[in-house]
Amino acid sequence: PKGVMVEQRSVVRLVRDTAYAKLDADETFLLLAPPTFDAATFELWGALLNGARCVVHPEAVPTAAGLEAVIREQGVSTLWLTAALFNTLIDERPEALRGLRQLLTGGEALSVPHVRRAQAALPGVTLINGYGPTEGTTFTCCHTIASPLPEDCTAVPIGRPIANTTVHVLDAAMQPVPLGVEGELWIGGAGVARGYLGRPDLSAERFVPDPWSAEPGARLYRSGDRVRWRADGTLDFIGRNDEQIKLRGFRIEPGEIEAALAALPGVQQAAVMLRTTPAGERRLLAWVAGEALDGAALRSRLAAQLPTYMLPSAVIALERFPLTANGKLDRARLPDPAAASGGTAGARPRDAAERHLLAIWESLFGRDGLSVEDDFFAIGGHSLLAVRMADAIERSFGQRLPLDTFWFRARTVRTIAGLLRDASGRVRWPLRVPIRAGGSRPPLFCVHTIGGNLFHYFELARALPDDQPVIGLNAVGVGGGEPARTSVEAIAADCIAAMREQQPHGPYRIAGFSSGGTVAFEMAQQLRAAGEDIAFLGLLDTWAPGVYRRPAGSGLIGRLRARLRPVLQRDRITHALLHTLGLKPPGGFPDGASAHWWAHWSYRPRMYPGRVDLYIADVSRLEASDPLLGWSRRVGGNLTLHSVSGSHGLMMKPPHVDALAALIRQRLEE
């Protein structure tokens, strides 16, 4: 990268007779990095120069399933991951890394929450924070992370210099700074590169003679990283002296991207920044100012000039940039992509599969309003998001799509849904979906909403403790392979059967969001009648049958309007009128969602004698005609109310879902 020249003899001194990791003949390394990435020098020569085995990873883009298979089948014991890939695996499938003895990660500052989750999911695996710019050849400093992390830990140190490497923390006058004082990190020793290929001016600026070394020709590399010494002799990483960005293991100069954008026709100004979505995804975004600019078209033109890792997730076109009172660019007021533009007009989901896939996308991108015709890469997709998407699809649909699918065969929700359908045009959904499969606690079973959707629980599972399994219970007939059930009692019985395949007997922990709470309520009734114990029944913003929002009018007309509104919105007035008259619908239903709507309209729940935990969004409580959403007339046992910020839909998304997860976690631990 950047044409950095490194001498091979230096590599030997960085992987032999060093103590930052166990490098000997007993280890099996995985060669995961491409040869143009300096991490490959550690993976290849760290193995071969110490008599260890080196296994070449077969996937061009590593996936959780692929890594899990190779680690298990080849006995891989030592693995290096970029911090971004490490975070993705810990979020999506931490069990894929079981079997390792030591896991090195770095490339950018480590996430303390991800380290904590990794330690909980991977007991016995030594985690090592590896810091080093390419100019220092893979590693400059390393730090073996204490397990567990101290409770007050807010940042993971980058550690001490490895063997045959020196570091200096200097001020602007190139003088050492005292303990605890910030300074710039200068690197010396065997790993320092010879310079930049074809850039003598830049080489002279960054590589200077080492005044503290007695070795002839020794030089220091000026890293541009701000650090400080800790009292224990390790280094804390603080940030950059310049605007350079570290993203997914690559160093990015925003100025280079801004210059490339500014050179495109019609662009008057350009700005590039790194932003973090509510879901924690770090995204490189670009803004351009000018008349009648098309951000997507500019991004496509930029893709022909820049490498993939430098390509912004989105280019947002504005007529003019917001300015501060001093006339400078007000970066805080630059809009996010969701605020600046939406998806393709009119391209909405046609069935449950497309609705579910679209929800996966919106969760991954941290945006609402996407379209089933949006191109995955045009709206900011990249290889790590593709890995997460493949894992989410496998969990939801029970089908594993190769990663190259998203590059060459299907880049939209609509085309991906087409690949998931069989010859009959149906999508066969598993009835039990491991939203999070691993963990030592009793599983929490989450019930589908109308139409058989489980995507509401993805963010909830991510916010719960890592050792808490979360299992989704789907509906029979969602994909159209067989008729959907037309009564809540039958839907609940199907969910119980799927749940008992994993956990034959109670105590059970069951939760349901929205209409899923009604099914969960009926499941609890049937399980208690069968002599089973219900340890937890959580209704997440679920309205009891017959209870609706405050009517727009009063009297009989107002109540009738409130009762019919949900059906009118979905063009099911005929079914509503038939139900009002006590009649059955003629013939079948056009889809599973229609059958489920009938089932919920027809449901007449009995009194439940056990405890119920009711989680109500603030907005729903204000809108409801009953502050307990009608459940006080249906629950004979302890009905406990928990208030959650947000509205009905937002309650299940960051940041509100974190508070909801904390409340549920407290009840599960009780």
Side-chain angles (χ1 to χ4, degrees), residues 190-552:
V192 175
R194 294 166 56 193
Y196 297 113
L197 184 62
R199 293 294 306 274
D201 54 338
L202 187 59
S203 296
E205 176 188 334
R206 295 293 185 92
F207 297 89
V208 302
D210 185 350
W212 292 281
S213 175
E215 184 176 339
R219 286 158 305 132
L220 293 177
Y221 166 66
R222 181 178 188 175
S223 71
D225 289 333
R226 300 196 321 278
V227 298
R228 65 183 169 215
W229 288 110
R230 287 187 169 199
D232 62 1
T234 61
L235 286 169
D236 268 335
F237 176 81
I238 307 300
R240 290 285 304 171
N241 277 336
D242 50 29
E243 295 182 347
Q244 192 180 83
I245 292 170
K246 244 332 183 30
L247 182 64
R248 297 191 292 277
F250 293 100
R251 279 186 297 157
I252 299 170
E253 297 281 0
E256 293 183 34
I257 306 172
E258 291 171 354
L261 279 169
L264 296 177
V267 177
Q268 299 172 359
Q269 289 177 283
V272 174
M273 286 176 57
L274 192 67
R275 281 193 176 171
T276 303
T277 70
E281 174 74 16
R282 300 171 74 237
R283 303 176 63 200
L284 189 67
L285 299 176
W287 294 262
V288 291
E291 294 185 5
L293 295 177
D294 184 333
L298 291 173
R299 186 180 183 278
S300 297
R301 298 189 65 173
L302 199 64
Q305 304 177 27
L306 299 178
T308 302
Y309 71 88
M310 291 180 67
L311 195 62
S313 295
V315 176
I316 300 105
L318 306 172
E319 290 187 6
R320 62 184 64 85
F321 278 172
L323 302 177
T324 66
N326 295 327
K328 297 181 179 180
L329 172 61
D330 191 343
R331 293 180 176 267
R333 290 171 55 204
L334 290 171
D336 287 332
S341 61
T344 305
R348 304 306 302 160
R350 297 179 298 194
D351 56 22
E354 290 187 359
R355 282 195 299 273
H356 197 98
L357 284 169
L358 187 62
I360 290 174
W361 279 37
E362 291 181 341
S363 175
L364 291 176
F365 286 104
R367 295 167 56 184
D368 290 331
L370 295 180
S371 158
V372 296
E373 295 291 358
D374 281 333
D375 183 288
F376 178 75
F377 293 99
I379 61 174
H382 50 76
S383 59
L384 287 183
L385 272 186
V387 170
R388 293 178 58 190
M389 179 167 65
D391 286 340
I393 290 172
E394 183 178 20
R395 289 198 308 271
S396 299
F397 296 92
Q399 298 187 46
R400 184 74 190 180
L401 296 179
L403 271 186
D404 60 7
T405 297
F406 309 123
W407 274 265
F408 305 114
R409 297 177 61 195
R411 294 169 62 149
T412 69
V413 162
R414 186 146 287 165
T415 53
I416 294 172
L419 293 181
L420 295 173
R421 296 187 177 96
D422 60 18
S424 66
R426 301 186 180 104
V427 177
R428 302 193 181 278
W429 300 53
L431 298 183
R432 194 173 63 253
V433 176
I435 298 173
R436 176 189 280 156
S440 58
R441 304 180 186 222
L444 173 65
F445 293 95
C446 295
V447 183
H448 64 86
T449 56
I450 280 179
N453 292 315
L454 292 168
F455 52 77
H456 303 286
Y457 303 111
F458 286 7
E459 294 297 339
L460 176 63
R462 191 188 299 272
L464 287 170
D466 290 296
D467 59 346
Q468 175 62 64
V470 179
I471 310 299
L473 300 174
N474 222 328
V476 169
V478 174
E482 55 186 303
R485 308 305 190 203
T486 58
S487 74
V488 169
E489 291 84 355
I491 296 171
D494 288 334
C495 289
I496 289 173
M499 180 174 67
R500 280 187 146 171
E501 288 181 2
Q502 176 163 338
Q503 184 181 337
H505 297 287
Y508 290 107
R509 302 172 174 205
I510 309 171
F513 168 65
S514 191
S515 59
T518 303
V519 178
F521 183 83
E522 175 59 28
M523 289 173 64
Q525 296 275 28
Q526 295 183 21
L527 287 166
R528 283 184 66 92
E532 295 289 357
D533 181 31
I534 309 300
F536 173 71
L537 175 58
L539 308 185
L540 315 183
D541 216 45
T542 299
W543 299 53
V547 178
Y548 305 96
R549 288 176 171 81
R550 298 181 189 276

Side-chain angles (χ1 to χ4, degrees), residues 81-126:
L81 298 173
T82 65
L85 183 54
F86 169 78
N87 291 347
T88 296
L89 291 170
I90 296 304
D91 281 339
E92 303 296 331
R93 198 165 175 166
E95 62 271 18
L97 303 175
R98 289 176 185 162
L100 296 174
R101 285 199 288 265
Q102 50 190 4
L103 173 58
L104 298 93
T105 182
E108 55 193 278
L110 296 191
S111 159
V112 170
H114 284 88
V115 170
R116 293 192 193 279
R117 291 201 286 269
Q119 291 178 336
L122 304 170
V125 178
T126 299

Side-chain angles (χ1 to χ4, degrees), residues 1-209:
K2 282 187 172 289
V4 177
M5 299 179 291
V6 180
E7 297 181 13
Q8 282 295 93
R9 63 181 177 83
S10 299
V11 176
V12 179
R13 299 174 64 188
L14 299 176
V15 298
R16 291 290 303 273
D17 303 321
T18 187
Y20 62 86
K22 184 175 179 289
L23 309 179
D24 59 29
D26 294 333
E27 297 301 309
T28 297
F29 289 65
L30 184 61
L31 181 56
L32 192 65
T36 55
F37 193 16
D38 62 326
T41 61
F42 166 75
E43 296 169 338
L44 181 64
W45 300 113
L48 300 185
L49 293 175
N50 288 288
R53 291 176 66 230
C54 185
V55 175
V56 180
H57 190 66
E59 298 176 304
V61 178
T63 66
L67 282 169
E68 184 174 23
V70 171
I71 291 170
R72 182 181 64 251
E73 294 166 7
Q74 298 293 335
V76 174
S77 59
T78 297
L79 180 64
W80 152 254
L81 298 173
T82 65
L85 183 54
F86 169 78
N87 291 347
T88 296
L89 291 170
I90 296 304
D91 281 339
E92 303 296 331
R93 198 165 175 166
E95 62 271 18
L97 303 175
R98 289 176 185 162
L100 296 174
R101 285 199 288 265
Q102 50 190 4
L103 173 58
L104 298 93
T105 182
E108 55 193 278
L110 296 191
S111 159
V112 170
H114 284 88
V115 170
R116 293 192 193 279
R117 291 201 286 269
Q119 291 178 336
L122 304 170
V125 178
T126 299
L127 295 179
I128 301 169
N129 185 13
Y131 161 85
T134 300
E135 292 85 346
T137 314
T138 311
F139 295 133
T140 295
C141 298
C142 283
H143 177 72
T144 300
I145 302 173
S147 182
L149 278 177
E151 287 295 325
D152 60 350
C153 178
T154 58
V156 179
I158 61 174
R160 298 178 173 86
I162 67 172
N164 299 310
T165 300
T166 59
V167 297
H168 305 274
V169 184
L170 308 178
D171 61 18
M174 210 174 170
Q175 296 299 311
V177 300
L179 187 74
V181 176
E182 289 185 24
E184 185 174 356
L185 184 64
W186 294 68
I187 302 168
V192 175
R194 294 166 56 193
Y196 297 113
L197 184 62
R199 293 294 306 274
D201 54 338
L202 187 59
S203 296
E205 176 188 334
R206 295 293 185 92
F207 297 89
V208 302

Side-chain angles (χ1 to χ4, degrees), residues 521 528 607-612 631-632 634-640:
F521 183 83
R528 283 184 66 92
M607 182 69 73
Y608 180 71
R611 169 166 178 164
V612 173
W631 290 109
S632 58
R634 307 289 194 276
V635 178
N638 183 5
L639 178 61
T640 303

